[in-house]
Amino acid sequence: MIRPLGVGLLGLGTVGTGVARVLLAKSDALERRVGRPVQICKVLVRDLDKARAVDVQVPLVTDAQAVIDDPSVDVVVELIGGEEPARTLILQAIERGKHVVTANKEVMAKHGPTILAAAAARGVSVARSARRVW
């Protein structure tokens, strides 16, 4: 059996919920495009007890390291916004050999060259969407 492409979400707010819904609703199309199943493995949230607008049916965690260090996570999607801790978490994910997707304009505007250099050195990609790579 082909191992799924594991996705770890850092954040499940408004944008994170939208990303999770798309990943869940478009799983067949994503599998055809990627060549293997795409599955959410773990999700970072601030509050484990908060009601969610989407049921991801995977572990919710409050420690970002649980997502970044998970060997089943191949791609980390940063959805928390702001400069910190997003910058640090993106760099840690890259250091661990994870590809990163982010729409965080602040982090990329202030730290883009550093992040891209780290990704190039580690041989991973940093993307802002499924179609365009930074």
Side-chain angles (χ1 to χ4, degrees):
M1 182 172 153
I2 298 173
R3 184 172 91 67
L5 179 71
V7 177
L9 303 179
L10 298 180
L12 198 59
T14 302
V15 176
T17 295
V19 169
R21 282 185 175 148
V22 168
L23 289 172
L24 295 169
K26 304 288 185 178
S27 62
D28 291 340
L30 287 168
E31 182 174 350
R32 284 191 303 275
R33 184 171 186 159
V34 174
R36 60 180 167 154
V38 176
Q39 88 180 34
I40 301 171
C41 298
K42 238 175 225 167
V43 180
L44 173 72
V45 297
R46 227 181 302 186
D47 179 359
L48 293 173
D49 298 322
K50 181 180 175 180
R52 307 281 168 204
V54 63
D55 183 12
V56 292
Q57 298 184 351
V58 299
L60 301 179
V61 298
T62 57
D63 179 9
Q65 299 310 309
V67 176
I68 291 170
D69 292 336
D70 187 327
S72 68
V73 172
D74 303 299
V75 179
V76 172
V77 183
E78 182 273 314
L79 300 158
I80 56 179
E83 186 173 3
E84 286 296 343
R87 179 196 66 87
T88 299
L89 296 174
I90 289 169
L91 289 171
Q92 287 175 346
I94 290 168
E95 182 180 295
R96 286 162 183 76
K98 315 286 183 178
H99 300 283
V100 174
V101 177
T102 184
N104 190 325
K105 294 178 187 99
E106 181 177 8
V107 165
M108 293 310 292
K110 293 180 178 178
H111 306 285
T114 302
I115 289 169
L116 294 174
R122 191 65 171 91
V124 297
S125 298
V126 175
R128 67 176 182 154
S129 73
R131 294 190 181 143
R132 185 161 175 191
V133 176
W134 287 94

